[in-house]
Amino acid sequence: MSPRAIYRHVVHTIRHAPEGGITYEAFCVTGGCGAESGPHPQQEAAQDWALRHTGRTGHDLFRRVFTDHAKVTRAE
């Protein structure tokens, strides 16, 4: 007799977990510069870094990254 497996599909949801916060970062991608703001808990801090970087270097193209934490819960 061969063993059997029973699979049950359970619906889950995924949502932002406020207790984890959000992290904001900016990365200069102008001409391979590679400078970055580092992670900041406030969006304004990353944006201010990009504005200062543009003022110092003339670089004007940035990649912005917003990182949050998510919690998965069973929908049952």
Side-chain angles (χ1 to χ4, degrees), residues 51-75:
L51 293 168
R52 286 191 311 273
H53 184 72
T54 296
R56 285 191 312 270
T57 64
H59 297 171
D60 61 357
L61 186 60
F62 296 87
R63 177 171 50 93
R64 297 187 301 172
V65 176
F66 309 94
T67 305
D68 75 338
H69 293 80
K71 185 172 282 198
V72 175
T73 55
R74 251 185 166 157

Side-chain angles (χ1 to χ4, degrees), residues 22-26 37-51 64-66:
I22 299 176
T23 302
Y24 303 90
E25 298 179 76
S37 68
H40 295 279
Q42 301 89 17
Q43 183 174 4
E44 293 79 17
Q47 289 178 169
D48 288 346
W49 174 87
L51 293 168
R64 297 187 301 172
V65 176
F66 309 94

